[in-house]
Amino acid sequence: MHDSDMDENDPEEVYLQRLTALGESVDIVTDSDVYSATGMKLVSAGARINKRTFGQLIRHKLSASLDDRVSMSDIITAQTLVQVASDSLAKNPLLASAVSMLPETIKPQAMLERVILTPLFSKKLTVMYHQQRACFDHCIEVAVFALVLGWHCNLNEEQLIAVVTAGVFHDLGELYLKIPDRQSDERLTPALERQIYSHPVIAYTFLKECAEYHPLISNAVLEHHERIDGSGYPNALRGDEISPLGRILAVAELVMSMIRSGKSDRVLPVIRTNLNKYDVHVTQKLHLIYHHIYPRAPTPEAPANKDRLLKDFRLGIKIMSNWRVLIGDPVEIALKTNHKPLKILANRIWEMRQSFIDAGIQPQNPGAILQEIGDDAALRADFEALMDETFYQLRTAIRELHRNSRLINQANTDKILTNVQRWVQQVEEDLQQRDA
């Protein structure tokens, strides 16, 4: 497969490619004959599965999942989860500090030993462990931090095991997407960004079909990218529509993603600029945990550049001004429109305006606030986090607009939507220049 074909790959093809590639280093042997959906025998029992069998298998729709027809050596067990968690705690002092708050009876190693691993999920985790190790490690770290958050949120023992299990499986759907490794600097294409919306659904589909996994687990996995204000995915759930475990997993995933990317000092600023997106009870507990991790507010190693911040302030003001000129008052648009993606985008513009007001960024003199804070590195880091998160949320809302082709197709007959398209094009160009 060529890199240029990545965006077009069928999820089953992507997973099959990873499974057969694993067969080059791990013994994967068929337990029974493998047939196509039309009854043609493709591979005999006892055959090795590796890259050489990929071409033969991919040309046909299989009668059953290949996972159900093979055995693997070096299969992932609960002890593997425990070992990876122990390794992560040894390398990550912030995570280890958070875990130190837990009583001995619910330490992560003990809870991970109680995670049920069916043969199907053991195999899928084995593929992830060898083919997407950074993603595997991330899942274990999220499971550990979700345990800490869950304990602070007074979950009972059954719920704690469920949230840990959900953490282990939450990104399993990424096995079916050809996306760059988490440690890579490669940027996602728009097509791949749209595919990512499907990864919670993929994992949820497998989990809900296994009686061994309580709906608490599958629902939390499905919801870990949902947001309280309805801006998340895949179902744009709001408020109480999101389960308690889904809310905890959402915050745990955010925190561990930021820590892994070296932005641990920006976690609380990001939460403060997104209070309407995360459960207030969970974020209150997060503040408690962070005060334990950091008895004093962390000082960024590299203070934000003032010139860069000023450019970001001016870009944000330009984006909001252009919206008002081309489209109108974002509050009125959000109230009047029946188009959900446009409503979300209008809300983003309103929230952006409010965050600028709350931060003291003046449209007429955006540099004034920088003069006030002077050389305070922590405050400059807060502003940098505010701008990064603001532009990230804009990109997310614009992607949702692009996903709704019906809405885009109406632009030729709707003046507001035509102007929205013009505005979006300008914003995308401006953000691309910012990242250059």
Side-chain angles (χ1 to χ4, degrees):
M1 181 187 65
H2 301 290
D3 289 343
S4 60
D5 297 330
M6 281 184 177
D7 294 2
E8 305 302 327
N9 278 354
D10 176 78
E12 291 293 341
E13 178 181 339
V14 174
Y15 179 71
L16 183 59
Q17 186 184 42
R18 289 199 165 108
L19 178 62
T20 53
L22 177 60
E24 298 295 313
S25 57
V26 170
D27 288 335
I28 303 178
V29 180
T30 54
D31 297 324
S32 58
D33 295 341
V34 177
Y35 290 90
S36 71
T38 59
M40 178 188 302
K41 187 165 86 168
L42 303 176
V43 181
S44 299
R48 287 200 60 179
I49 298 297
N50 50 37
K51 287 182 177 179
R52 289 185 293 277
T53 57
F54 174 75
Q56 182 179 0
L57 293 169
I58 199 59
R59 290 194 294 268
H60 304 273
K61 181 177 175 60
L62 303 184
S63 62
S65 170
L66 191 59
D67 286 319
D68 296 330
R69 297 285 186 267
V70 299
S71 297
M72 294 181 184
S73 63
D74 299 324
I75 199 81
I76 290 295
T77 66
Q79 282 305 119
T80 314
L81 308 184
V82 170
Q83 184 58 55
V84 171
S86 297
D87 292 344
S88 292
L89 290 170
K91 293 183 291 187
N92 190 330
L94 298 180
L95 185 58
S97 179
V99 166
S100 71
M101 303 175 75
L102 296 173
E104 288 297 326
T105 53
I106 58 166
K107 290 297 186 184
Q109 291 89 338
M111 302 301 284
L112 285 165
E113 285 181 345
R114 300 174 66 179
V115 171
I116 296 172
L117 295 179
T118 66
L120 172 66
F121 280 89
S122 289
K123 292 170 187 174
K124 291 191 183 299
L125 285 177
T126 302
V127 177
M128 179 182 282
Y129 181 85
H130 291 280
Q131 295 291 304
Q132 289 183 295
R133 182 56 191 269
C135 185
F136 184 94
D137 290 350
H138 168 74
C139 287
I140 302 304
E141 290 165 356
V142 169
V144 171
F145 199 78
L147 172 64
V148 178
L149 272 174
W151 179 75
H152 280 283
C153 291
N154 299 317
L155 297 188
N156 61 36
E157 186 172 315
E158 179 186 7
Q159 293 170 321
L160 288 174
I161 296 172
V163 81
V164 169
T165 304
V168 170
F169 294 140
H170 81 279
D171 275 345
L172 200 68
E174 290 192 13
L175 278 173
Y176 290 77
L177 305 176
K178 196 69 174 179
I179 59 178
D181 186 270
R182 287 176 180 271
Q183 295 175 328
S184 169
D185 292 329
E186 182 180 348
R187 291 183 63 82
L188 297 177
T189 65
L192 286 176
E193 287 181 334
R194 289 192 294 272
Q195 284 187 33
I196 287 175
Y197 277 71
S198 68
H199 83 269
V201 179
I202 294 171
Y204 167 78
T205 301
F206 286 116
L207 285 165
K208 74 172 184 176
E209 292 176 356
C210 289
E212 292 87 347
Y213 298 112
H214 193 281
L216 284 173
I217 298 168
S218 56
N219 288 335
V221 168
L222 181 65
E223 297 165 353
H224 76 273
H225 281 293
E226 299 289 357
R227 298 294 180 256
I228 297 297
D229 65 349
S231 64
Y233 66 87
N235 295 316
L237 300 181
R238 301 178 66 92
D240 291 340
E241 294 174 335
I242 307 171
S243 69
L245 268 61
R247 300 177 189 205
I248 290 172
L249 199 59
V251 174
E253 207 274 342
L254 169 73
V255 172
M256 293 318 304
S257 293
M258 295 191 70
I259 290 177
R260 178 169 275 266
S261 61
K263 299 177 180 178
S264 60
D265 58 305
R266 299 188 188 179
V267 168
L268 295 186
V270 166
I271 291 293
R272 283 197 294 270
T273 59
N274 289 278
L275 290 177
N276 60 332
K277 298 184 186 303
Y278 299 99
D279 182 273
V280 63
H281 180 59
V282 178
T283 56
Q284 286 173 349
K285 300 304 181 183
L286 176 63
H287 277 79
L288 178 67
I289 295 166
Y290 244 69
H291 287 315
H292 175 82
I293 294 175
Y294 288 118
R296 296 180 180 178
T299 299
E301 294 181 7
N305 181 280
K306 285 186 177 181
D307 291 338
R308 173 64 183 264
L309 279 177
L310 184 56
K311 288 181 180 178
D312 279 353
F313 292 169
R314 288 171 174 163
L315 176 55
I317 292 166
K318 174 187 173 183
I319 287 171
M320 291 185 287
S321 176
N322 286 350
W323 174 281
R324 187 169 287 275
V325 170
L326 286 172
I327 303 161
D329 183 350
V331 175
E332 291 184 8
I333 297 296
L335 290 173
K336 291 179 180 179
T337 184
N338 293 321
H339 300 292
K340 193 167 187 178
L342 181 55
K343 185 186 293 289
I344 290 174
L345 188 55
N347 281 328
R348 289 296 158 274
I349 298 300
W350 180 83
E351 291 165 2
M352 186 176 174
R353 177 178 178 275
Q354 292 303 116
S355 66
F356 271 45
I357 292 173
D358 293 343
I361 303 171
Q362 304 171 22
Q364 298 81 5
N365 186 10
I369 190 66
L370 294 177
Q371 294 176 352
E372 289 182 25
I373 66 176
D375 294 326
D376 189 321
L379 280 177
R380 281 159 60 184
D382 278 1
F383 277 105
E384 186 175 30
L386 167 65
M387 299 313 302
D388 286 345
E389 184 64 17
T390 294
F391 293 139
Y392 170 78
Q393 293 297 335
L394 268 181
R395 287 191 180 96
T396 301
I398 289 172
R399 283 200 300 270
E400 184 64 24
L401 195 69
H402 283 312
R403 283 209 312 151
N404 194 307
S405 57
R406 178 178 60 83
L407 176 59
I408 296 299
N409 291 337
Q410 289 179 359
N412 292 329
T413 59
D414 189 311
K415 183 178 178 180
I416 288 182
L417 295 181
T418 300
N419 287 340
V420 168
Q421 275 197 320
R422 289 173 56 196
W423 178 87
V424 165
Q425 183 178 0
Q426 182 62 59
V427 171
E428 289 178 327
E429 291 175 359
D430 288 340
L431 292 179
Q432 188 173 12
Q433 289 179 7
R434 175 184 184 263
D435 295 338

